[in-house]
């Protein structure tokens, strides 16, 4: 057993370094011309394909391999292929294929091409190419294959690429050389096309010769016409020159007259402008003088008036502000006075209401309290009745008595009875209050529909 700590540390470092180096070696980088295929326990699918970059390959549970992306050239010299017209043709062609870098195609390549050599991949692809070439030729006629070569190549590319994708390959290029058939049909088509081209060339030559003869005749005609036109133009030019000379002389004389007229007119115009400018100068001088007078009047009259007007406005505004302040002060004082009176009246009513509440509580109910108040006011009511007739001067009243009462009463008696009726009876007051008049003051008798108070004995 090792007891030296230093040796233990060294051993631990060495073991760690070895493990770290092993892990680093398990990190695999993928070149740009290859596909890295990691197989084993990948967590999903049979293999995981990576193009570019790198990944960590776990030891024991995973392993890796590479698929080359280098293109493969395959010669597919198809013979005796049956066309749509049941004519057998030979189609020598050359295809260039390679492993696709699409994700689905890489998975197919990993499942079907991993571990195969380049020759084996080439043989596998050649079988697919031969089958698809025969299929495309069987759907097209000889004329379409021979004349419409682009369509033929497009059909071949579409069919071949779909089949190659199933094993992870991709079609890069298709090159089809001369197509031949065993019956010589394509050769006959070539001869027909050649004869047709020769005939078209002959017709074109004849057409060109005809165009040349016509052009020569037209050139001669144009020469004669141009010569005649040149002669006519020469004569016309001479006549035009003479007319131009005459027109020039007339124009010269006209210009001289116009120049003379312009000179005279300009002289008159200049004289008129001089007079006009003098009038304008005098008008401007008068306007300047009027402006000066207006400014003088404005400075002497209008400005002081404006100043006085502004002073009056300021005084009026100051007086209005003074009145407004005084009115506001008076209004505030009235408001405070009325507010104080209202508060006092409110206190009086509040205390009076509290007194009535205490009285009602003491009497037991509101009706008893009302009777107590009426009894309390009874002396004042009696006093009021007495005061009503107290100051009547009986000696000052003259009554003319004619003894014409219905019941035999006199006018004087009727006057006194009416006077007493004007005073509210005590019995009515007590009855309205819900009370009965005391017996020592009188009592009510019922006699028909009338009420009468007996006199106190």
């Amino acid at each position: 057993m090792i007891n030296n700590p230093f040796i233990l540390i060294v051993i631990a470092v060495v073991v760690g370094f070895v493990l770290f180096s092993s892990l680093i070696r398990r990190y695999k980088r993928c070149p740009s011309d290859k596909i890295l295929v990691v197989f084993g326990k990948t967590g999903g699918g049979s293999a995981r394909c990576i193009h570019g970059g790198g990944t960590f390959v776990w030891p024991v549970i995973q392993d890796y391999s590479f698929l080359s992306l280098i293109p493969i050239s395959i010669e597919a010299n198809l013979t005796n292929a049956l066309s749509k017209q049941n004519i057998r043709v030979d189609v020598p062609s050359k295809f260039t294929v390679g492993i696709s870098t699409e994700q689905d195609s890489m998975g197919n390549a990993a499942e079907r091409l991993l571990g195969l050599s380049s020759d084996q991949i080439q043989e596998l692809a050649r079988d697919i190419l031969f089958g698809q070439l025969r299929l495309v030729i069987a759907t097209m006629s000889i004329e379409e294959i021979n004349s419409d070569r682009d369509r033929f190549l497009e059909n071949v590319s579409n069919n071949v690429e779909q089949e190659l994708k199933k094993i992870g390959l991709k079609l890069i290029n298709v090159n089809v050389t001369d197509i031949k058939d065993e019956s010589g049909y394509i050769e006959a088509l070539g001869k027909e096309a050649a004869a047709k081209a020769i005939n078209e060339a002959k017709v074109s030559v004849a057409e060109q010769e005809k165009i040349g003869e016509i052009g020569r005749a037209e050139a001669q005609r144009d020469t004669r016409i141009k010569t005649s036109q040149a002669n006519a133009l020469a004569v016309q030019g001479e006549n035009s020159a003479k007319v131009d000379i005459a027109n020039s002389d007339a124009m010269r004389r006209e210009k001289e007259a116009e120049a003379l007229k312009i000179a005279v007119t300009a002289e008159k115009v200049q004289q008129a402008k001089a007079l006009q400018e003098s009038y304008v100068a005098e008008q401007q001088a008068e306007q300047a003088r009027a402006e000066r007078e207006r400014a003088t009047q404005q400075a002497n009259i209008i400005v002081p008036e404006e100043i006085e007007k502004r002073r009056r406005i300021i005084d009026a505004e100051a007086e209005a502000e003074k009145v407004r302040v005084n009115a506001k002060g008076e209004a505030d004082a009235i408001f405070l006075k009325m507010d104080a009176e209202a508060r006092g009246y409110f206190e009086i009513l509040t205390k009076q209401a509290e007194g009535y509440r205490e009285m009602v509580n003491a009497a037991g109910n509101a009706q008893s309290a009302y009777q107590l108040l009426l009894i309390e006011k009874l002396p004042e009511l009696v006093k009021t009745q007495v005061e009503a007739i107290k100051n009547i001067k009986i000696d000052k009243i003259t009554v003319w008595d004619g003894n014409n009462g219905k019941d035999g009463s006199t006018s004087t008696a009727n006057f006194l009875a009416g006077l007493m009726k004007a005073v509210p009876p005590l019995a009515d007051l007590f009855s309205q209050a819900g009370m009965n008049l005391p017996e020592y003051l009188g009592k009510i008798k019922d006699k028909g529909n009338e009420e009468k108070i007996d006199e106190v004995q």
Side-chain angles (χ1 to χ4, degrees), residues 176-294:
V176 178
T177 56
D178 295 335
I179 301 174
K180 297 179 181 180
D181 66 300
E182 61 182 9
S183 62
Y185 184 71
I186 296 176
E187 185 178 356
L189 291 176
K191 291 180 180 180
E192 180 184 359
K196 184 177 179 181
I198 292 171
N199 292 331
E200 290 178 354
K202 290 180 180 179
V203 171
S204 178
V205 171
E207 289 290 337
Q208 294 299 324
E209 289 178 352
K210 180 181 71 173
I211 293 171
E213 292 297 330
I214 293 172
R216 186 180 300 108
E218 289 179 352
Q220 292 176 357
R221 182 195 63 190
D222 292 340
T223 300
R224 293 178 62 185
I225 291 172
K226 295 296 182 182
T227 302
S228 300
Q229 288 178 351
N231 294 330
L233 289 174
V235 175
Q236 184 179 0
E238 293 177 356
N239 295 331
S240 297
K242 293 178 181 179
V243 172
D244 291 340
I245 292 171
N247 290 333
S248 179
D249 291 339
M251 189 178 294
R252 178 179 56 80
R253 291 194 295 270
E254 182 181 357
K255 293 296 182 182
E256 289 177 353
E258 288 181 357
L260 180 61
K261 181 179 69 174
I262 291 171
V264 174
T265 302
E267 184 179 357
K268 296 295 185 182
V269 168
Q270 292 300 326
Q271 292 177 357
K273 284 184 177 180
L275 291 174
Q276 183 180 4
E277 290 176 357
S278 64
Y279 294 154
V280 170
E282 291 178 359
Q283 183 180 5
Q284 291 178 352
E286 291 296 328
Q287 290 179 353
R289 187 178 63 79
E291 290 292 335
R292 182 174 60 80
E293 291 294 333
R294 186 180 297 107

Side-chain angles (χ1 to χ4, degrees), residues 46-175:
S46 60
R48 181 160 54 95
C49 299
I50 300 172
H51 177 230
T55 186
F56 183 79
V57 180
W58 292 98
V60 179
I61 63 174
Q62 289 183 350
D63 205 346
Y64 70 96
S65 182
F66 288 98
L67 287 174
S68 177
L69 296 177
I70 297 175
I72 302 172
S73 180
I74 303 172
E75 289 187 2
N77 296 323
L78 183 62
T79 58
N80 295 325
L82 193 62
S83 67
K84 186 178 180 181
Q85 298 164 322
N86 293 325
I87 299 175
R88 297 190 177 275
V89 296
D90 298 335
V91 184
S93 57
K94 191 172 185 179
F95 294 85
T96 303
V97 298
I99 295 177
S100 176
T101 56
E102 296 179 359
Q103 192 64 35
D104 296 339
S105 298
M106 286 193 299
N108 294 335
E111 292 176 355
R112 296 176 175 86
L113 303 179
L114 187 64
L116 297 180
S117 63
S118 179
D119 293 336
Q120 291 173 333
I121 296 174
Q122 186 174 354
E123 288 298 326
L124 181 61
R126 183 180 289 110
D127 293 337
I128 296 174
L129 295 175
F130 277 142
Q132 295 303 314
L133 271 176
R134 290 183 185 278
L135 180 61
V136 172
I137 292 171
T139 59
M140 298 181 68
S141 63
I142 299 298
E143 290 84 356
E144 293 175 343
I145 296 173
N146 189 50
S147 60
D148 196 355
R149 191 64 62 86
D150 292 336
R151 181 185 173 190
F152 172 67
L153 294 177
E154 183 180 357
N155 292 337
V156 172
S157 298
N158 292 335
N159 290 5
V160 169
E161 190 165 5
Q162 290 180 1
E163 295 300 320
L164 291 177
K165 187 176 182 180
K166 295 178 181 180
I167 62 173
L169 295 177
K170 179 180 180 182
L171 181 63
I172 298 174
N173 185 35
V174 181
N175 185 15

